[in-house]
Amino acid sequence: ILSYSLAFIFLTTSFTFILTYFFQAQNILANGMLYGHQQANRYISDHPSSQVIYSRKTSEPQAYVMFFQQLDPRLVQSYTKNWQTTMQTEGQSFVDQIGEYFLGKYTFREINLPSDRLLPNTILVARPDEIHPDQADYVIYSPDPVNPTPLFTIYNTSLHSNL
C-alpha cells in the first residue's frame, strides 16, 4: 500500500508540475518575466515614427529595443560609451537608473503624457501607471485568459495630430 501511495503521489505531483510548467507558467510569470516587450517592439516596427520614448520603468528597455529592433551593433556601441560615462558620473549601477539616455531615435526616460503628447510623430511606450489604458492607442495585456491585466500602454502622437 505504501508503494502505491508513494507512486500515486509522485505521479500526481509530476503531472501537476508538467501542467503548470507548460500551460500556466506564462500566465503566472508574465509580469515578472517582463512580458510585453516583444509586442511593444512589434508595434514600433509596424508604426514607423521619427521618435520613440520608451519608459525606464519597463526595466532595462534598451536591451529589448536592441534585440527586437535588430539594431546595428556599431550604433549601439557608439551610444553605450556615453551611458557608461553618465553612470559613473551619476554613481548609478544600472543603465535604466540614468535620468535620460538615448539610442538612435529611441529615448529612455519617464513618460510625462501632458507634455509628451504634444511631440510630433512620436510613439510613447509606458506602463499603465504612466499612461492609463483608457488614454492609450494600444494596450498589451498579460496572456492570462481569465484575468488579463494591462502591462504596457502605447500612445502614438501621430494619431492625435489635430490636438
Side-chain angles (χ1 to χ4, degrees), residues 82-154:
N82 295 332
W83 300 350
Q84 187 66 31
T85 304
T86 305
M87 285 173 53
Q88 290 172 349
T89 303
E90 293 183 10
Q92 302 297 346
S93 301
F94 300 98
V95 176
D96 66 345
Q97 294 173 334
I98 299 172
E100 180 176 78
Y101 54 103
F102 306 92
L103 180 60
K105 72 176 189 173
Y106 300 91
T107 301
F108 304 96
R109 62 173 172 78
E110 291 188 18
I111 303 294
N112 182 1
L113 188 59
S115 62
D116 291 339
R117 73 184 337 156
L118 302 175
L119 298 170
N121 198 20
T122 303
I123 293 175
L124 309 172
V125 180
R127 287 289 193 188
D129 62 325
E130 293 176 295
I131 299 176
H132 192 274
D134 292 342
Q135 297 173 303
D137 297 310
Y138 186 71
V139 179
I140 299 167
Y141 291 92
S142 66
D144 185 354
V146 177
N147 187 23
T149 57
L151 299 176
F152 282 83
T153 52
I154 298 175

Side-chain angles (χ1 to χ4, degrees), residues 14-163:
S14 296
F15 182 71
T16 303
F17 171 78
I18 289 170
L19 283 177
T20 303
Y21 184 80
F22 286 107
F23 299 107
Q24 297 174 353
Q26 77 171 18
N27 300 337
I28 295 168
L29 301 173
N31 198 21
M33 296 300 290
L34 304 173
Y35 178 88
H37 280 286
Q38 181 177 12
Q39 295 82 352
N41 277 280
R42 189 176 307 128
Y43 181 93
I44 292 167
S45 295
D46 292 344
H47 299 83
S49 66
S50 61
Q51 180 177 338
V52 176
I53 301 174
Y54 212 117
S55 174
R56 290 182 310 119
K57 289 185 176 183
T58 61
S59 186
E60 301 288 348
Q62 73 282 352
Y64 296 96
V65 168
M66 289 179 219
F67 180 77
F68 290 117
Q69 298 298 328
Q70 299 179 353
L71 297 181
D72 183 352
R74 290 173 291 198
L75 172 76
V76 172
Q77 290 172 354
S78 69
Y79 280 91
T80 56
K81 289 176 189 174
N82 295 332
W83 300 350
Q84 187 66 31
T85 304
T86 305
M87 285 173 53
Q88 290 172 349
T89 303
E90 293 183 10
Q92 302 297 346
S93 301
F94 300 98
V95 176
D96 66 345
Q97 294 173 334
I98 299 172
E100 180 176 78
Y101 54 103
F102 306 92
L103 180 60
K105 72 176 189 173
Y106 300 91
T107 301
F108 304 96
R109 62 173 172 78
E110 291 188 18
I111 303 294
N112 182 1
L113 188 59
S115 62
D116 291 339
R117 73 184 337 156
L118 302 175
L119 298 170
N121 198 20
T122 303
I123 293 175
L124 309 172
V125 180
R127 287 289 193 188
D129 62 325
E130 293 176 295
I131 299 176
H132 192 274
D134 292 342
Q135 297 173 303
D137 297 310
Y138 186 71
V139 179
I140 299 167
Y141 291 92
S142 66
D144 185 354
V146 177
N147 187 23
T149 57
L151 299 176
F152 282 83
T153 52
I154 298 175
Y155 187 91
N156 191 339
T157 64
S158 63
L159 300 176
H160 305 274
S161 59
N162 57 355
L163 292 177

